[in-house]
Amino acid sequence: MEFRSLQNKIYDYGPRGHFLIESFLINLLRIHITSQNKEFVSEEKLGPRSLFDAYVPMGFDDFEGPTYIEITSTPQSKRLFYRLEKSYAFIKKESVKNILFIVTRPIPKSTMHDISSFQQKKLGVNIIVWGPEEIQSIIEKHKDKVSELGDRLFTLRLETAIHKPQQNWKENREAILASVKNSYNSGQFSFFLGAGVSSSAGLPDWNTLLNSLFVSLLTSEFNGDKKTDDNEISSIVKRLREVDEPSALMAARYIRKGLSSSGDSEQSEFVETVTENLYRLRNKRNSIDSPLIRSITSLCMPGRMGAKVKSVITYNFDDLIERSLKNKSVIYRSIYEETDMQNPDELPIYHVHGYLPEDRSEYSNLDKSTLVFSEEGYHKIYHDPYHWSNLVQLNHLRETTCLMIGLSMTDPNLRRLLEISSRSLDSPKHYAFMKRIDTDKFSKDNKKKVVNAPISTITKFLNRHHSLNEEVLKELGVNIIWYEDHEEIPKMISDIQKNI
């Protein structure tokens, strides 16, 4: 088997190609090293030492002593140096003897020269770089087993995720949050905000808003009928959605068509109705400046060394982030159309799905905002790769580290943009808060058991489910930050700023 031909075949699968190559090489190394009666420890068993892809405690081939292995597709010395700098404290603490970089692409001579100079000046450990030729040499030594590996790539990748030993996810979370803090300190940092952020301040969820708009639609039809009251209409709406159950985007299109009149005022009437219902339905028991919103805006405040957050990208229509920033005297600009740009001293808040501030008099050109409320708005953005909102998102995904809050990570357009931006990544660089499924709540409904399986089996199933979710998002360049209760998130965000 030729490594190069296997590589070309695998990279046809897009961004996940690197992870398939990595799985192939990890299993190839396992075969090669265990054939020498040496222990081979892969990443999933390393725990806190998972800064690297593999560890060989007793060395192998000509490597004497503890050897750590990192697989990368990037042959540039700048990227390798970054990797070494990131793990410098760990290298010193663990008394590492050798670090082996396995680079899957041809290596420039300049990289080898730079690595040699870097090694002499600083680390005091042996840095070795293997390229495609060394990989091919190992393939030749194990021809009989390599063919099977090539045929089972997808299965191997899945098995790695499913059989990954279960580590303490809370301990792993601390390591992930430390990485978030480092990224924040770099100043190349952005927020991606979803509906969960607005919900923390009591704004209605999507279904509640749609139901309310259905009521508005039917009320307008029954205005002259005194026999029909609001409770009757609400009851009809509830049953209609149970029986017909259209997709959320289809339902929104239906509502937009029903609420809009003919003529030039069509869009403005619809926007006015959506805006009114959005803020009218807010649960007043929640603070409009919720702990989650406060923690986000606190990170946006410039420090002594300047601003750490480059931008906020929000999928929400509301102006709650702007209000919180205004209370903290942070200079910002809401951007919701292609031609708008911020000044250097302004924090840009990109409303990539449209903007519906409660007080529209403070803004101009709001009618030029593409409101991604229903099917047609979503299609307009999804099918136009050069739409300004897509370019803004893609640019920030490529150029900054993004922390995603209040997003389900299921939006097809966001996943498409993540997949595009992750093509040049060896490892995930973005982060997303996601809620773990509680075993007890999963197995019971109002204390009544609804899953016919013992708790141990349910726990094992959910652990595998969480592991697979981690692997899926890693392929899109995203690390999951797990939490159990929504109230945990503000504290974790606030901790990012501590001791800076």
Side-chain angles (χ1 to χ4, degrees):
M1 175 186 289
E2 288 290 330
F3 177 63
R4 186 162 295 177
S5 61
L6 175 67
Q7 210 174 2
N8 291 336
K9 177 183 175 183
I10 288 174
Y11 280 127
D12 286 342
Y13 293 108
R16 69 178 62 87
H18 172 75
F19 294 93
L20 294 174
I21 286 284
E22 187 178 278
S23 292
F24 171 79
L25 292 175
I26 288 293
N27 283 279
L28 175 64
L29 287 167
R30 180 181 284 109
I31 291 168
H32 179 64
I33 292 168
T34 56
S35 71
Q36 302 173 32
N37 295 318
K38 299 291 182 69
E39 182 185 4
F40 177 83
V41 184
S42 54
E43 178 186 12
E44 64 268 16
K45 295 181 180 178
L46 281 173
R49 291 181 289 187
S50 60
L51 285 167
F52 295 90
D53 291 316
Y55 171 56
V56 188
M58 303 302 293
F60 69 101
D61 289 353
D62 296 329
F63 304 115
E64 296 182 359
T67 302
Y68 285 85
I69 302 171
E70 176 70 12
I71 298 169
T72 177
S73 62
T74 308
Q76 283 75 28
S77 54
K78 182 178 179 181
R79 176 65 181 170
L80 300 183
F81 290 162
Y82 170 78
R83 192 70 189 79
L84 290 169
E85 293 281 4
K86 189 175 179 181
S87 53
Y88 182 73
F90 169 81
I91 291 168
K92 288 294 186 184
K93 181 181 178 182
E94 294 292 322
S95 301
V96 178
K97 294 286 289 184
N98 310 297
I99 295 175
L100 171 61
F101 283 107
I102 299 181
V103 181
T104 59
R105 299 184 186 276
I107 307 167
K109 289 182 180 179
S110 58
T111 294
M112 302 302 292
H113 178 268
D114 292 342
I115 287 288
S116 177
S117 301
F118 183 85
Q119 177 178 251
Q120 291 173 6
K121 288 179 181 178
K122 191 166 187 179
L123 281 182
V125 301
N126 297 318
I127 303 171
I128 306 94
V129 182
W130 282 2
E133 291 183 4
E134 286 81 4
I135 295 171
Q136 186 62 43
S137 175
I138 294 182
I139 288 174
E140 295 296 328
K141 293 177 182 178
H142 306 281
K143 286 183 179 179
D144 54 333
K145 296 183 180 180
V146 166
S147 179
E148 181 186 352
L149 287 181
D151 293 337
R152 297 182 61 240
L153 276 175
F154 284 100
T155 307
L156 288 169
R157 177 75 178 150
L158 184 61
E159 287 175 352
T160 299
I162 291 176
H163 299 296
K164 190 175 182 179
Q166 296 304 308
Q167 302 166 5
N168 186 317
W169 65 268
K170 289 187 177 180
E171 288 183 7
N172 289 343
R173 182 175 70 183
E174 291 306 309
I176 293 172
L177 288 171
S179 296
V180 176
K181 186 170 186 174
N182 289 335
S183 298
Y184 174 74
N185 287 337
S186 74
Q188 298 298 309
F189 192 83
S190 299
F191 282 116
F192 273 53
L193 308 181
V197 175
S198 298
S199 295
S200 72
L203 284 187
D205 60 25
W206 188 248
N207 283 329
T208 302
L209 181 59
L210 286 181
N211 280 337
S212 176
L213 291 170
F214 263 115
V215 171
S216 295
L217 170 59
L218 291 182
T219 301
S220 67
E221 295 294 326
F222 287 101
N223 270 343
D225 191 347
K226 296 180 180 179
K227 297 179 181 179
T228 309
D229 64 24
D230 288 346
N231 289 333
E232 291 173 349
I233 291 173
S234 296
S235 178
I236 293 170
V237 166
K238 181 179 179 182
R239 184 58 182 159
L240 176 62
R241 298 207 67 205
E242 288 173 353
V243 172
D244 198 31
E245 198 177 1
S247 76
L249 287 173
M250 283 176 62
R253 185 172 193 153
Y254 172 90
I255 291 168
R256 185 195 63 76
K257 200 68 178 173
L259 287 175
S260 301
S261 62
S262 59
D264 295 337
S265 62
E266 177 177 335
Q267 177 71 6
S268 61
E269 282 188 39
F270 169 65
V271 166
E272 186 177 320
T273 304
V274 175
T275 304
E276 179 187 346
N277 280 272
L278 177 65
Y279 294 101
R280 179 177 61 81
L281 292 170
R282 193 180 78 80
N283 186 342
K284 304 300 190 296
R285 290 176 295 182
N286 294 45
S287 169
I288 199 163
D289 194 22
S290 70
L292 178 56
I293 290 175
R294 288 200 304 273
S295 67
I296 292 168
T297 55
S298 179
L299 260 65
C300 294
M301 296 178 67
R304 288 174 298 175
M305 304 299 291
K308 301 289 187 182
V309 176
K310 293 198 72 172
S311 301
V312 175
I313 289 87
T314 177
Y315 299 93
N316 302 324
F317 304 142
D318 61 77
D319 59 0
L320 301 191
I321 289 293
E322 279 87 349
R323 295 190 203 186
S324 183
L325 289 169
K326 190 173 184 178
N327 288 339
K328 290 181 168 64
S329 300
V330 176
I331 302 172
Y332 66 87
R333 178 183 289 269
S334 302
I335 298 177
Y336 42 85
E337 60 171 319
E338 184 173 10
T339 57
D340 204 359
M341 294 184 66
Q342 85 278 10
N343 294 322
D345 59 339
E346 294 175 324
L347 172 69
I349 315 295
Y350 293 98
H351 286 267
V352 293
H353 280 183
Y355 190 33
L356 299 176
E358 187 168 22
D359 184 357
R360 295 175 64 82
S361 65
E362 294 184 8
Y363 300 89
S364 60
N365 296 329
L366 282 168
D367 57 322
K368 294 183 180 179
S369 167
T370 301
L371 191 63
V372 185
F373 180 81
S374 58
E375 271 188 325
E376 59 270 47
Y378 192 86
H379 290 166
K380 182 176 181 179
I381 287 181
Y382 190 90
H383 293 295
D384 181 2
Y386 298 107
H387 192 279
W388 75 269
S389 65
N390 285 330
L391 296 178
V392 163
Q393 293 172 74
L394 193 55
N395 179 58
H396 284 84
L397 290 170
R398 282 178 168 164
E399 302 298 328
T400 69
T401 295
C402 303
L403 180 59
M404 301 173 186
I405 308 169
L407 290 163
S408 65
M409 305 304 293
T410 58
D411 179 80
N413 195 43
L414 173 59
R415 294 174 72 88
R416 179 178 68 88
L417 295 172
L418 282 167
E419 191 157 8
I420 293 169
S421 67
S422 67
R423 286 174 184 166
S424 60
L425 297 178
D426 287 340
S427 57
K429 71 169 187 174
H430 305 302
Y431 303 88
F433 284 103
M434 293 192 71
K435 193 174 189 296
R436 287 181 77 88
I437 299 173
D438 179 82
T439 302
D440 193 53
K441 291 179 181 177
F442 178 80
S443 59
K444 296 176 183 177
D445 185 12
N446 291 326
K447 298 185 179 180
K448 180 182 177 182
K449 189 173 182 180
V450 292
V451 179
N452 187 25
I455 289 296
S456 59
T457 302
I458 296 171
T459 301
K460 185 176 181 180
F461 170 82
L462 289 178
N463 284 338
R464 298 297 180 243
H465 168 75
H466 292 137
S467 293
L468 283 171
N469 270 306
E470 288 176 359
E471 295 301 317
V472 166
L473 282 184
K474 277 182 180 179
E475 291 186 355
L476 297 177
V478 180
N479 299 283
I480 293 179
I481 306 172
W482 292 114
Y483 67 92
E484 293 174 306
D485 192 292
H486 294 298
E487 293 179 359
E488 296 177 72
I489 301 178
K491 183 181 184 307
M492 286 189 280
I493 294 174
S494 297
D495 285 346
I496 294 171
Q497 256 186 329
K498 286 187 176 178
N499 302 318
I500 292 179

